[in-house]
Amino acid sequence: MEGHALWRIPAHILPGSIVLMRDVTADAEPMENQPTIQTPQVTPRRAVYPGTFDPITHGHVDLITRSLVFFDEIVVLVAHSVKKKPLFNAEERKALVVECFSKVGKVRVEIYDGLIVDYAKKSNIQVVLRGLRGISDFDYEFQMATMNRRMYHDLQTFFLMASEKFFFVNSTLIKEVFSHGGDVTELVPPHVEKKLRERIC
């Protein structure tokens, strides 16, 4: 039967039956005549996480790690923050962050001195990652998110609640407690505690 093919139905479905099915390949156009299907390019989901990170804490690490579920890459942006008179300079703070994620390929660390919107535009990033520890954080972050959106309309802010284990932790508190002999081993990575001991003790 020209233009047809015989297909035997499996015995457990319809025993002893034979069905005729049209051989679609007989009428198919040559491959060179068929239109090329364009595969759409997928834009990586990227977010920037700005901060002073003086020093980075387990709260920061936890937030970044959890956010990797939603993004293909997180750019941790270490601010110079000269006005804050940080304990560690920008290069030292960057090195501490890098060591935290040395085995994670989806985290990149950079130093930047300027408006976050300018960095986002230049880097073609449209999401800012921010953590919320409480109501006081929200008031400040809401103002910043609104101002950033005003300057760069395509920039969205992605808020992630702090884990209950670290919602009270911030870098200033860590330095204050450590400077008075307090134990912060459960609140910062080991290499950060070592650096604090070298700098403060």
Side-chain angles (χ1 to χ4, degrees):
M1 296 181 184
E2 187 175 351
H4 293 78
L6 293 179
W7 292 75
R8 186 174 296 277
I9 303 299
H12 69 277
I13 296 178
L14 191 56
S17 296
I18 296 178
V19 62
L20 292 178
M21 297 185 66
R22 185 163 184 78
D23 184 359
V24 295
T25 61
D27 301 325
E29 293 185 20
M31 290 297 294
E32 60 270 16
N33 295 333
Q34 295 184 5
T36 303
I37 300 175
Q38 297 291 339
T39 303
Q41 292 185 347
V42 179
T43 304
R45 298 167 300 173
R46 302 164 64 216
V48 57
Y49 181 33
T52 305
F53 306 104
D54 185 44
I56 187 169
T57 69
H58 276 324
H60 295 130
V61 174
D62 175 72
L63 191 77
I64 295 168
T65 302
R66 288 161 53 210
S67 70
L68 291 175
V69 175
F70 307 101
F71 300 101
D72 300 310
E73 182 184 55
I74 301 295
V75 180
V76 180
L77 206 59
V78 178
H80 279 284
S81 301
V82 178
K83 292 182 179 180
K84 289 187 176 182
K85 298 180 180 180
L87 179 64
F88 303 104
N89 63 43
E91 290 294 341
E92 290 173 322
R93 285 178 276 133
K94 176 184 177 180
L96 292 174
V97 178
V98 168
E99 189 168 346
C100 289
F101 300 98
S102 59
K103 298 181 180 179
V104 181
K106 297 170 65 176
V107 177
R108 182 158 52 90
V109 187
E110 294 187 8
I111 298 173
Y112 187 72
D113 187 17
L115 294 175
I116 182 63
V117 294
D118 292 337
Y119 178 87
K121 285 181 182 179
K122 181 184 68 174
S123 306
N124 194 29
I125 295 177
Q126 297 181 341
V127 180
V128 177
L129 173 66
R130 300 299 294 164
L132 293 176
R133 291 169 299 187
I135 297 176
S136 59
D137 275 358
F138 180 79
D139 289 340
Y140 171 77
E141 294 295 347
F142 181 76
Q143 291 177 359
M144 291 301 298
T146 305
M147 178 59 76
N148 287 339
R149 187 89 187 278
R150 186 180 181 87
M151 292 185 288
Y152 179 19
H153 183 71
D154 292 333
L155 190 64
Q156 304 290 340
T157 302
F158 185 91
F159 292 112
L160 199 59
M161 293 299 299
S163 296
E164 60 182 15
K165 295 188 299 183
F166 306 118
F167 79 93
F168 64 94
V169 179
N170 63 62
S171 298
T172 301
L173 183 61
I174 292 293
K175 289 180 289 186
E176 182 71 16
V177 170
F178 191 83
S179 66
H180 288 86
D183 183 12
V184 298
T185 53
E186 295 184 358
L187 305 178
V188 297
H191 68 281
V192 173
E193 183 185 15
K194 178 181 177 182
K195 199 71 175 179
L196 283 169
R197 197 173 303 280
E198 293 173 358
R199 187 59 51 90
I200 296 178
C201 297

